[in-house]
Amino acid sequence: DTGVSQDPRHKITKRGQNVTFRCDPISEHNRLYWYRQTLGQGPEFLTYFQNEAQLEKSRLLSDRFSAERPKGSFSTLEIQRTEQGDSAMYLCASLGVGETQYFGPGTRLLVL
Amino acid sequence: AQTVTQSQPEMSVQEAETVTLSCTYDTSESNYYLFWYKQPPSRQMILVIRQEAYKQQNATENRFSVNFQKAAKSFSLKISDSQLGDTAMYFCVFMNSNSGYALNFGKGTSLLVTP
């Protein structure tokens, strides 16, 4: 069991640039979730996948945010035209036995 | 929509002592799950303990136990024999199937264990 991995761990970008984050879930987990965590707050849910199907995306923060999981394995989260308010930790989790979510280490984004 | 409230932003406890973190939630659902997750400084989120709402028995995991009061919609975490490694942010979390098992987090309680 290698756990959930995320890449990159840190990203610094300039306002207006596009960024893409990757998440590799635990291999046998079919459901994958994305969350955003701002400083001093609990994570907020963004979107989730069951295999390659994106079953909920209404909670994505704006149309600049999109996510994919094309082959039902890894997932990507893209933010277009980044803004300073997008600076946050982006967390990925996969759903295992007992409806328990296992989290990756997160990608910390800083938009200058 | 479900809300999760953690009324203690910060707490401190001495090593080997016991501390209780409070959590209340609001839902109209009858079937759901509750969790406590721990997020140590600069480290990833890990599960501490889980409780299924249909189970009356309070969950226990080694030094961690919960007091689940379904009617009062209360879910507190007790940490016994606190250790320095327990220093972390603790999140109370609600989940049910209606939201696709997405997690709904409280704002967290920052716990500091002192020598």
Side-chain angles (χ1 to χ4, degrees):
Chain A
D1 180 1
T2 57
V4 179
S5 62
Q6 292 187 245
D7 183 69
R9 296 288 304 276
H10 303 273
K11 179 70 176 178
I12 300 174
T13 191
K14 293 181 179 179
R15 188 176 52 188
Q17 297 294 305
N18 299 345
V19 294
T20 300
F21 309 140
R22 175 179 171 127
C23 171
D24 287 86
I26 294 171
S27 58
E28 63 267 28
H29 292 180
N30 295 326
R31 287 202 177 191
L32 182 152
Y33 298 78
W34 284 99
Y35 298 85
R36 184 180 82 157
Q37 185 178 21
T38 53
L39 200 60
Q41 301 294 317
E44 58 178 326
F45 167 69
L46 297 178
T47 187
Y48 84 96
F49 293 85
Q50 169 81 29
N51 299 313
E52 66 275 8
Q54 189 174 14
L55 298 186
E56 173 59 66
K57 56 182 179 180
S58 67
R59 303 278 291 275
L60 286 167
L61 299 162
S62 78
D63 58 6
R64 298 183 297 105
F65 287 72
S66 63
E68 293 184 338
R69 195 182 182 196
K71 298 182 179 179
S73 57
F74 72 90
S75 175
T76 57
L77 177 70
E78 181 182 17
I79 309 173
Q80 295 183 328
R81 305 180 303 281
T82 53
E83 302 173 356
Q84 289 184 326
D86 297 332
S87 295
M89 175 77 86
Y90 291 84
L91 297 170
C92 175
S94 61
L95 186 68
V97 173
E99 317 308 341
T100 298
Q101 292 194 18
Y102 297 87
F103 283 83
T107 295
R108 186 173 295 279
L109 172 66
L110 177 61
V111 182
L112 301 176
Chain B
Q2 293 84 10
T3 57
V4 179
T5 302
Q6 293 181 249
S7 59
Q8 305 151 313
E10 296 179 349
M11 294 192 71
S12 179
V13 63
Q14 283 196 316
E15 207 173 1
E17 296 296 308
T18 296
V19 63
T20 299
L21 280 56
S22 301
C23 173
T24 59
Y25 58 95
D26 185 23
T27 184
S28 59
E29 304 297 328
S30 57
N31 294 320
Y32 50 88
Y33 297 82
L34 294 163
F35 304 85
W36 282 95
Y37 276 85
K38 164 185 175 180
Q39 189 175 38
S42 302
R43 294 181 63 187
Q44 68 192 74
M45 191 87 68
I46 59 174
L47 176 69
V48 175
I49 198 164
R50 64 189 290 275
Q51 175 80 43
E52 298 166 52
Y54 70 86
K55 290 185 176 179
Q56 292 185 339
Q57 186 173 5
N58 289 325
T60 300
E61 289 288 341
N62 300 314
R63 297 183 295 107
F64 299 88
S65 62
V66 298
N67 183 5
F68 173 48
Q69 302 290 328
K70 190 172 184 179
K73 296 179 183 175
S74 171
F75 184 61
S76 62
L77 174 70
K78 186 172 80 171
I79 306 174
S80 304
D81 185 25
S82 297
Q83 300 176 1
L84 296 178
D86 295 333
T87 291
M89 182 72 82
Y90 287 81
F91 293 100
C92 179
V93 183
F94 176 98
M95 183 183 80
N96 76 344
S97 60
N98 290 349
S99 61
Y101 300 107
L103 301 181
N104 187 358
F105 285 76
K107 290 189 174 182
T109 295
S110 179
L111 176 67
L112 176 64
V113 181
T114 58

